[in-house]
Amino acid sequence: MNAVDGSDHYERTSDEPPPSLLTIILDTNPHAWALLSETLPLSKAIANILVFINAHLAFNYANKVAVVASHSQRAQWLYPSPITPSKAAHSDASQQAADNGEDVDMADDTPDQPPAKKLFTLHGPKSKAAPNGTGPNPSTSTTSDDANKYRPFRLVEDATMANLRSLISTTTKADLSASNTTMMAGALTLALAYINRQTLDHTESNQGMSARSANTGINNDGHDPDRRQALQSRILVLSVSGDLAYQYIPVMNCIFAAQRRRIPIDICKIAGDTVFLQQASDATRGVYMALEQPQGLLQYLMMGFLPDQTSRG
């Protein structure tokens, strides 16, 4: 056709940065954070991490984030919220009702959590006291439902804080006395499994778009379907615990899996000293940084860990 049509043809390619999946592993070892309470309280660290997550999401509308807590006795999801059996049953019932043409009850995105003591407070405007002085005034209190807040920011903040409060409140004295370290191997396994699932979903989505535009060769947005950029995934570990000698084999297996999948593991060493995490960073071409001043956590995160693989030299 080019020999018949004398006009110039230009093939549009996507000049947008590729979508990036950032999986954060937060070491929530109570023993280690107790030692850091005077230098960097956990509440301030969580506030800095949420600001860092918001910056990552603001870079690209297609960016994704996941947060895993590496606790003393288990590894647990903070965001997205873990699916409980009750939620799974409700989802199945809702799907069956929708298939039958019945009405479906709408549920909030916030995970179901029992009333618990407020353990963490983010820096921000505080609510005014009620007229009787017994507590905050509901009419003037500032909540996460503020219309001026970007919805993805609110969803991540609400789910992360709710799940973290639940994790801390369900930690018993027996759990603390049984272990003084963190389940880093389990958290790395959860992160790698989630990254693999998200990568498959992203690939299948692109293949579906390519199949729908196979007749024309160009998508509805004018981009070549064969030149779509793959999902860029990486893991960021915020570590405060010491040696992980007894987890050597599972941690090394996770390092080899990340190396094979070309997933860099970045290490932000807030406290403690462990050789395995530095090996993980070196083997996967990640960034290893031991903080000299933990009070400046947000600055370290922004300057050292915000750029993804495509932005690094």
Side-chain angles (χ1 to χ4, degrees), residues 15-277:
D15 55 354
E16 298 179 355
S20 176
L21 170 59
L22 173 62
T23 304
I24 298 177
I25 297 179
L26 175 61
D27 187 355
T28 57
N29 184 0
H31 298 278
W33 283 108
L35 298 176
L36 284 171
S37 59
E38 298 294 334
T39 304
L40 180 65
L42 180 58
S43 58
K44 183 178 179 181
I46 294 297
N48 293 338
I49 293 171
L50 290 176
V51 174
F52 171 70
I53 291 175
N54 293 346
H56 168 75
L57 296 176
F59 260 105
N60 190 346
Y61 70 93
N63 283 358
K64 301 179 181 180
V65 69
V67 184
V68 184
S70 176
H71 207 51
S72 56
Q73 76 278 13
R74 67 182 185 273
Q76 178 174 314
W77 285 105
L78 299 182
Y79 181 84
S81 298
I83 299 178
T84 59
S86 59
K87 288 185 178 181
H90 177 76
S91 178
D92 295 340
S94 300
Q95 183 63 36
Q96 184 177 1
D99 295 338
N100 296 333
E102 302 175 0
D103 293 336
V104 179
D105 295 334
M106 304 301 293
D108 296 333
D109 295 333
T110 305
D112 299 333
Q113 298 293 346
K117 182 181 179 181
K118 189 173 183 181
L119 301 178
F120 310 108
T121 302
L122 299 181
H123 300 288
K126 298 182 179 179
S127 59
K128 298 180 180 180
N132 56 6
T134 58
N137 189 351
S139 61
T140 60
S141 61
T142 302
T143 65
S144 59
D145 294 331
D146 188 358
N148 294 326
K149 181 176 292 187
Y150 186 43
R151 178 175 172 79
F153 296 170
R154 182 182 69 84
L155 294 178
V156 175
E157 178 179 327
D158 290 351
T160 301
M161 296 301 298
N163 291 319
L164 184 58
R165 290 190 183 100
S166 176
L167 176 64
I168 299 299
S169 62
T170 55
T171 303
T172 62
K173 293 182 179 180
D175 296 332
L176 296 178
S177 59
S179 175
N180 60 353
T181 182
T182 182
M183 296 298 296
M184 185 59 62
L188 286 172
T189 303
L190 288 178
L192 291 172
Y194 183 79
I195 289 174
N196 182 65
R197 186 180 67 180
Q198 291 296 317
T199 302
L200 293 177
D201 293 343
H202 182 77
T203 303
E204 292 177 357
S205 177
N206 287 346
Q207 289 177 351
M209 293 181 181
S210 300
R212 288 193 297 268
S213 59
N215 295 332
T216 60
I218 299 295
N219 290 301
N220 295 331
D221 56 1
H223 295 146
D224 185 358
D226 295 332
R227 296 196 175 187
R228 290 186 178 272
Q229 295 170 320
L231 181 66
Q232 301 290 327
S233 302
R234 57 192 173 106
I235 297 175
L236 172 60
V237 179
L238 299 171
S239 177
V240 295
S241 300
D243 196 9
L244 304 173
Y246 76 99
Q247 302 183 43
Y248 174 77
I249 294 178
V251 168
M252 292 304 298
N253 289 337
C254 293
I255 294 174
F256 295 148
Q259 187 179 24
R260 181 177 179 83
R261 300 292 297 178
R262 297 182 180 179
I263 300 173
I265 300 179
D266 299 333
I267 306 298
C268 180
K269 194 61 181 173
I270 301 176
D273 186 18
T274 175
V275 179
F276 298 148
L277 294 182

